[in-house]
Amino acid sequence: MENRTEISELGEFGLIDHLTKNFETYNVSTIESIGDDAAVMDHFGKQTVMTTDLLIEGIHFDLMYTPLKHLGYKSVIVNLSDVYAMNAQPTQITISLGITNRFSVEALSEFYEGVYAACEKYKVDLVGGDTSASQKGFIISVTAIGEVAPDQYIKRSTAQKGDLICVSGDLGGAFLGLTLLEREKKIYMENPKVQPDLEGEDYIVGRILKPEARKDIIEFFEKQDLRPTAMMDVSDGVSSEVLHLSRKAGLGCKVYEDKLPINEATRQAAFKFGLDPTVCALNGGEDYELIFTIRQEDHDKIVLNEEISVIGYMTDVEEGCKFLTKGGNTFDITAQGWKAF
Ligand code: ADP
Ligand code: MG
């Protein structure tokens, strides 16, 4: 048995100190960090973006199959993804926690290990937060701040007719990872002697438990001097996101099934579960990829990047939002994705 330190042994201030004392900052914009009434930041003539996300046990995550370190990591990543989706660089985060008495100091330290791993990888500073008891369920609220050169942020609403729709990475993996973990949980609940079988499913399990934010894509835009016309992150599934991009711009769109990037491991997992990989790619959420539109004349700038796929283009609003299958059929894209029947 590992040690268990009760939070009451440290008290609230002792706990915060224990969790945050060794953290050093990475950004010159962080002037005052944890320890005062508020953090102080100076963005030296840049513009600030700010975003926040709430994660609630039983709604957004299940501690039965989510290691705390991964949860800490992912809690940060989902916010950084929103900052990158604005074409900004994340610089600071705050984390507020509601903790039940089920948690020990060691458990929270594990959560913070994940938080710090994400902070180190993406070079963001944890500059504050709040800590409270919770009666039921672990509650995590993360706020992220980022900086962007004046007026270089990219909105969801500014795509133009004829622009190419692009996505980073591949789609549907996180949904299949979640499907697998839920299935193994159900088997375990029915018979606790059966150990979970995640053999050979590292890719999809990693996609749900340890997502990454696409910092590399933002850096690629800068290097290529490429400015997408609109952008957002893929948290709810590509079909829902293309509808946002279209509606906000007052346009229609065409998306092609044979252009959807789907990893081979994702495809195999879908077949194993009797699911259509295309439907998983369109409707599965939590991929944390970027979806963006570019002008056609910028196509040459992205062809060499294997992490970017062109999946369709923006059309007149009268043409609606259409999905073209490999078989040559056309369907309306709906918020739940594509309804084949
Ligand atoms: P206040 O009473 O002003 O809200 P707190 O005692 O709650 O201050 O917090 C003291 C310091 O610790 C502040 O800088 C706050 O931002 C930081 N802090 C509190 N909880 C957390 C947490 N869970 N993670 C990181 N920093 C925290
Ligand atoms: Mg407080």
Side-chain angles (χ1 to χ4, degrees), residues 97 149 167 215 237:
L97 300 177
V167 291
K215 180 187 176 74

Side-chain angles (χ1 to χ4, degrees), residues 1-132:
M1 266 303 273
E2 59 174 77
N3 285 345
R4 179 183 167 96
T5 310
E6 295 302 329
I7 290 168
S8 54
E9 282 177 47
L10 298 184
E12 184 190 334
F13 300 130
L15 174 69
I16 296 168
D17 188 53
H18 179 79
L19 294 175
T20 61
K21 63 179 179 247
N22 292 322
F23 188 67
E24 287 175 24
T25 58
Y26 299 106
N27 295 283
V28 286
S29 53
T30 307
I31 296 173
E32 296 291 341
S33 180
I34 294 167
D36 214 307
D37 295 310
V40 181
M41 282 152 272
D42 186 338
H43 282 117
F44 307 100
K46 296 201 166 174
Q47 289 175 346
T48 301
V49 304
M50 189 168 130
T51 175
T52 191
D53 259 308
L54 184 61
L55 298 169
I56 294 183
E57 183 179 350
I59 307 286
H60 302 99
F61 59 89
D62 187 331
L63 286 176
M64 251 190 91
Y65 52 70
T66 312
L68 281 166
K69 188 173 170 183
H70 287 76
L71 184 60
Y73 193 84
K74 184 168 175 174
S75 304
V76 177
I77 293 299
V78 299
N79 280 275
L80 302 189
S81 179
D82 280 322
V83 174
Y84 291 123
M86 298 300 292
N87 196 36
Q89 285 291 346
T91 44
Q92 287 86 14
I93 56 167
T94 63
I95 297 197
S96 299
L97 300 177
I99 309 162
T100 64
N101 55 16
R102 201 154 44 103
F103 284 82
S104 63
V105 172
E106 287 74 17
L108 288 172
S109 296
E110 251 179 72
F111 178 85
Y112 269 76
E113 264 181 52
V115 167
Y116 289 140
C119 286
E120 191 189 352
K121 176 151 190 190
Y122 292 88
K123 296 290 178 279
V124 299
D125 299 327
L126 174 67
V127 297
D130 201 13
T131 309
S132 166

Side-chain angles (χ1 to χ4, degrees), residues 164-179:
L164 303 173
I165 305 170
C166 308
V167 291
S168 65
D170 56 76
L171 304 168
F175 172 76
L176 282 154
L178 182 64
T179 305

